[in-house]
Amino acid sequence: MSSEPDKSRYNILEVKLNAQSNPIGILILIITSSALITFWPISCADSTSYPPSADPQSQEITDIEPKLLSPVSPTWGFTLFLTGNWDGQLGPCGCSERQLGGIDRRTHILNSAPASGRLLLDAGPLINSEGRQAQLKLETFLLSLQHLQYDAIALTGPEMILLQENLPLGPDDRPPIIATNMPPEVRLEFAAVAYLEKNLRRGGENLDCLILALPDPQSMVGRWSSQKLQLQDPVSSVIEILTALNIDPHQSHNDKFVIVMLPDDNEFLVQQIKQIPALDLLVRAGYGDMPELIENSDNTPPVVTTGKLGKYVTKIELPISSSADVKKAQFEPIPIEEDFPQDPKIIEFFNNYQTSLKIENLIDSPYLPRQALDDDNTFTGSLACADCHADVYLIWNNFGHAHAMETLINENRQYDPECVKCHTIAMEYEIGYRSMEKTPHLADVGCEMCHGPGLKHRINTYTMYQEQFFTCEKCHTHENSPNFEGQREEYFQKIRHWQEPRIYWK
Ligand code: HEC
Ligand code: HEC
Ligand code: HEC
Ligand code: HEC
């Protein structure tokens, strides 16, 4: 585990900013470093950059200082709300209580700034997978972002291919997708735009914003190298567009506040783009668990990240007054908490998505790739073990593992492969769970999920049966069972149905 990142470097940062009606030169962006220090993500953390503390109880959300939610005077200012790097996470992250995130839980935050003085951007990527479920999920994301009135979004190349292939969405069902470095005719085919201009207005002041986005040509390798989707060199594309819009790319002070979104996490590209003086802000997806403001030591524009899994909204407040003083701007990661109000429209989109999974019967469809078992053994279901291990069966049956499917049914997620795979027996195998109708005996975390297929042992009980089919960690991941790591022994004690101290499972 790496150590805590150095917070001192976030303290001060300079941003150049020209308000159209009010050229004010240099603007200092001051970061509330307390925001970065006091809040610790409770789970679904990126353990490489934010190791969770060993004691999950000490990670109460109530640790966040309340002032964090509104550190800047709400009276006026221009507000940028930035999101991105969702990793396919529509709902709160993970299985346990007190999880951050959920695309349906942020409406009130985004609406806290008047639409005319607000810029709402998503830097992508929305999904991290392929196939039919990814498509349905992408559709749900886009409908939700449109409903939330996002001004524009960026997508990666593979996402744009997925979108163009089968989605029934028209340009009115989703926010504009910016792809600055696409040849114009390709942009037309993918219904993307080269840039977006928005004039922010507040308190008699104006700020002309220009938003660009650069999907990374490097990501279009291998099977993604599509004839249709061509991406050009990002740097020359930016220079070309700026010049076409009468903005001198080499001038750091111009009439527009220029924002560039980078949906692919490519450090090299970030470094290249940073060198264009006319840019004011880079929004980088990827990189770390929670939003960060990355240092700009020289005169390069600041780079902000969005955090991941939809757990935060990055808020940047640019207060501008009519006086010519040097102004302050603030960077603030807003955690999306579990008790934030849910948006009924987005819940509706989400339910439609679950209904599609059900109608298309995705779990039992060719869309879901399944592995073969090495031998001709097969699963018999837990009840079949009860014939001879009645005592063990009773212990198991009284416990959560035996009700894991019921849990999903209560949540109406029983048709969602992404949930079902850990709440049933061997969904990812040819002989594994398919549906409650076809394979009811393979629902729940049955005996054979841990002990392996039991048919041969049942026929000949002398068949050695000590294999460990799946480890606990296969399902008790950091995201879905944040307490497991610290309480391993307790978890084993809770499911104990063996006489001797366990020997095979260390
Ligand atoms: C026909 C009776 C019978 C059935 C059905 C049966 N077992 Fe067994 N099982 C035995 C016997 C007998 C032993 C060895 C003696 C003992 O440990 O009780 C055994 C041993 C085991 C062991 C310990 C293995 C070892 O080598 O120490 C496990 C684990 C086990 N069974 C799991 C299961 C599971 C899971 C099922 C259902 C898929 C199942 N058994 C079905 C009779 C059965
Ligand atoms: C196939 C996935 C899977 C595997 C493998 C698995 N579990 Fe679980 N476990 C679950 C699910 C799902 C639940 C939640 C069940 C429910 O309540 O719906 C759970 C719940 C539990 C709980 C209850 C937690 C609580 O606070 O009540 C314990 C304890 C537990 N598992 C221990 C273990 C141990 C120990 C192992 C390894 C020997 C293991 N599990 C392997 C999926 C799994
Ligand atoms: C990687 C495996 C995995 C996946 C994927 C998974 N779960 Fe779980 N789930 C678990 C485990 C393990 C637990 C037990 C956690 C614990 O108590 O430590 C659990 C527990 C739960 C619980 C709490 C049960 C209780 O009563 O305490 C709910 C609800 C739940 N899961 C729903 C879902 C939903 C909905 C999805 C899909 C979005 C999902 N799970 C996907 C492994 C998984
Ligand atoms: C969550 C994982 C898990 C599930 C589910 C599970 N077991 Fe086990 N089982 C274990 C572990 C771990 C051991 C201890 C293995 C060792 O000795 O190292 C064990 C041991 C056993 C043993 C050996 C008993 C002894 O006294 O040594 C039997 C028999 C057995 N299990 C049967 C079953 C049956 C039958 C079911 C379903 C009704 C079941 N198990 C469900 C994990 C599981």
Side-chain angles (χ1 to χ4, degrees):
M1 283 191 178
S2 62
S3 60
E4 197 178 316
D6 178 14
K7 301 284 161 50
S8 59
R9 67 192 174 96
Y10 300 120
N11 278 349
I12 273 201
L13 172 118
E14 293 181 343
V15 180
K16 59 201 167 66
L17 172 80
N18 270 331
Q20 193 184 39
S21 65
N22 179 27
I24 53 164
I26 300 287
L27 176 105
I28 311 282
L29 199 69
I30 296 179
I31 301 101
T32 44
S33 52
S34 65
L36 288 155
I37 293 165
T38 50
F39 182 71
W40 208 244
I42 50 156
S43 65
C44 296
D46 174 356
S47 53
T48 54
S49 62
Y50 286 94
S53 89
D55 174 12
Q57 303 309 327
S58 70
Q59 298 168 358
E60 293 286 336
I61 278 184
T62 47
D63 287 352
I64 311 169
E65 289 179 23
K67 68 175 163 61
L68 191 130
L69 284 177
S70 189
V72 175
S73 155
T75 47
W76 75 297
F78 301 124
T79 310
L80 315 184
F81 285 120
L82 310 170
T83 53
N85 201 16
W86 294 80
D87 236 0
Q89 198 71 38
L90 284 160
C93 171
C95 286
S96 55
E97 305 280 305
R98 293 195 291 113
Q99 301 278 3
L100 297 183
I103 194 167
D104 55 339
R105 288 189 160 88
R106 60 194 64 216
T107 315
H108 69 293
I109 293 174
L110 305 180
N111 289 341
S112 64
S116 58
R118 169 192 85 169
L119 198 54
L120 209 49
L121 301 174
D122 192 273
L126 299 170
I127 50 164
N128 61 354
S129 47
E130 322 161 23
R132 185 59 186 148
Q133 183 160 17
Q135 247 163 13
L136 292 168
K137 207 189 254 193
L138 183 58
E139 182 179 3
T140 313
F141 265 115
L142 292 172
L143 289 168
S144 303
L145 295 180
Q146 172 74 345
H147 167 73
L148 290 168
Q149 299 178 325
Y150 270 66
D151 292 296
I153 63 172
L155 292 178
T156 62
E159 286 180 302
M160 280 189 271
I161 293 175
L162 198 65
L163 175 66
Q164 204 235 10
E165 272 171 359
N166 292 295
L167 289 196
L169 290 186
D172 291 343
D173 301 326
R174 54 164 178 79
I177 297 167
I178 304 178
T180 307
N181 56 332
M182 262 186 180
E185 66 281 5
V186 181
R187 251 190 329 254
L188 205 66
E189 192 179 341
F190 281 80
V193 296
Y195 61 87
L196 182 99
E197 286 181 296
K198 183 171 179 180
N199 180 249
L200 299 182
R201 278 167 285 113
R202 210 160 174 195
E205 304 288 336
N206 281 279
L207 180 65
D208 253 347
C209 297
L210 173 67
I211 303 110
L212 310 176
L214 300 166
D216 186 359
Q218 297 296 320
S219 68
M220 298 301 296
V221 290
R223 67 210 161 89
W224 289 121
S225 55
S226 145
Q227 294 295 314
K228 281 190 297 179
L229 191 131
Q230 301 157 33
L231 295 172
Q232 295 166 322
D233 174 58
V235 174
S236 42
S237 302
V238 170
I239 291 180
E240 200 178 301
I241 289 282
L242 291 177
T243 313
L245 293 170
N246 287 326
I247 299 170
D248 183 352
H250 309 293
Q251 266 293 331
S252 56
H253 297 293
N254 52 62
D255 289 347
K256 287 198 171 27
F257 190 76
V258 187
I259 302 172
V260 176
M261 297 193 282
L262 300 159
D264 302 270
D265 194 25
N266 179 344
E267 173 70 29
F268 181 69
L269 183 56
V270 173
Q271 294 310 324
Q272 271 190 320
I273 298 296
K274 258 171 75 171
Q275 305 309 322
I276 304 174
L279 307 184
D280 295 282
L281 181 70
L282 265 56
V283 185
R284 174 180 178 178
Y287 193 89
D289 193 51
M290 68 185 284
E292 283 186 53
L293 186 44
I294 302 177
E295 182 197 18
N296 63 326
S297 44
D298 21 63
N299 283 330
T300 58
V303 182
V304 293
T305 65
T306 57
K308 68 176 185 187
L309 300 163
K311 295 192 289 178
Y312 296 85
V313 168
T314 305
K315 179 180 179 185
I316 295 180
E317 189 89 16
L318 307 170
I320 298 167
S321 81
S322 44
S323 73
D325 299 287
V326 173
K327 299 299 176 289
K328 292 176 182 176
Q330 253 174 319
F331 166 87
E332 179 195 358
I334 302 176
I336 304 302
E337 295 186 36
E338 196 180 35
D339 54 1
F340 283 177
Q342 288 176 281
D343 188 317
K345 191 72 193 167
I346 297 183
I347 294 178
E348 192 186 312
F349 293 141
F350 187 82
N351 289 341
N352 291 344
Y353 160 59
Q354 289 298 317
T355 305
S356 300
L357 296 177
K358 177 182 175 179
I359 292 172
E360 298 193 14
N361 195 11
L362 224 56
I363 294 175
D364 191 17
S365 77
Y367 285 120
L368 198 94
R370 289 168 180 269
Q371 286 169 251
L373 266 192
D374 299 343
D375 59 17
D376 54 355
N377 209 348
T378 195
F379 297 108
T380 63
S382 306
L383 195 58
C385 314
D387 291 350
C388 309
H389 300 287
D391 48 341
V392 176
Y393 182 85
L394 287 178
I395 297 173
W396 171 82
N397 198 36
N398 271 329
F399 184 71
H401 281 157
H403 310 284
M405 196 62 197
E406 193 184 312
T407 299
L408 290 188
I409 292 171
N410 291 340
E411 304 267 321
N412 196 24
R413 298 297 286 275
Q414 68 272 34
Y415 302 105
D416 189 335
E418 290 180 352
C419 305
V420 171
K421 65 178 180 186
C422 292
H423 286 242
T424 54
I425 292 180
M427 187 200 80
E428 287 149 312
Y429 285 81
E430 279 168 4
I431 53 166
Y433 176 83
R434 281 172 184 264
S435 68
M436 288 306 276
E437 291 73 36
K438 283 191 189 169
T439 54
H441 62 299
L442 302 184
D444 306 320
V445 183
C447 320
E448 293 165 297
M449 193 62 179
C450 297
H451 291 293
L455 184 68
K456 284 184 175 173
H457 165 73
R458 207 179 134 196
I459 296 168
N460 177 0
T461 53
Y462 295 108
T463 310
M464 284 295 281
Y465 199 31
Q466 298 164 355
E467 75 183 289
Q468 192 179 339
F469 191 58
F470 279 132
T471 61
C472 314
E473 286 85 354
K474 158 93 177 169
C475 306
H476 288 266
T477 59
H478 181 58
E479 285 79 20
N480 292 300
S481 186
N483 297 335
F484 185 79
E485 210 176 306
Q487 300 172 19
R488 238 188 112 81
E489 264 320 302
E490 289 87 333
Y491 270 69
F492 267 95
Q493 280 313 315
K494 277 192 190 169
I495 66 152
R496 180 167 175 156
H497 52 269
W498 48 86
Q499 308 296 322
E500 304 299 321
R502 79 197 140 81
I503 41 176
Y504 307 122
W505 295 50
K506 290 296 173 218

